[in-house]
Amino acid sequence: MINHEALTRVYKQNLEESMIEYLAEQKYLTMEEAMDIYYRSQLADQIDKGIYGIENMDYKYLVHDLIVNEPELFEK
C-alpha cells in the first residue's frame, strides 16, 4: 500500500529541486545561491506547509512568482 505522506514528501522534494535548478538558470545563480534564496523565501514555507495547494502549481510559475513577489531576496 502506498503511504500518502511519503509520496507527498517525495513530490515536494522533486518540486523544490526543479524550482531551485530553474531559479539558478533564470537568475544566473549558482545552485548554492539559488538554494539559499529559495529556502529563505516565504514561498518555500508555503510549499512546505501545503498552504492553498500551492505545491500543485507548475515549478516555472512558482519561480516567476518568487522573483516578482520576493525581490528583496535577490538584493546583494
Side-chain angles (χ1 to χ4, degrees):
M1 180 163 232
I2 295 176
N3 181 326
H4 180 59
E5 283 184 32
L7 186 60
T8 299
R9 189 172 40 255
V10 169
Y11 174 79
K12 285 182 182 180
Q13 288 173 344
N14 289 339
L15 175 65
E16 290 176 333
E17 289 174 16
S18 295
M19 289 178 63
I20 291 166
E21 287 177 19
Y22 189 64
L23 178 60
E25 289 174 16
Q26 293 300 300
K27 297 299 276 183
Y28 304 103
L29 303 167
T30 65
M31 291 298 288
E32 291 80 12
E33 291 168 328
M35 286 176 62
D36 178 60
I37 289 169
Y38 173 74
Y39 285 112
R40 288 187 295 121
S41 72
Q42 292 176 10
L43 181 60
D45 188 50
Q46 291 170 342
I47 289 171
D48 182 55
K49 292 177 180 171
I51 297 174
Y52 309 119
I54 198 165
E55 71 277 5
N56 296 311
M57 297 180 138
D58 179 71
Y59 73 93
K60 290 181 180 180
Y61 172 82
L62 291 170
V63 168
H64 176 72
D65 180 77
L66 175 64
I67 292 168
V68 169
N69 292 308
E70 298 189 59
E72 67 279 1
L73 294 173
F74 300 93
E75 297 172 1
K76 293 196 178 193

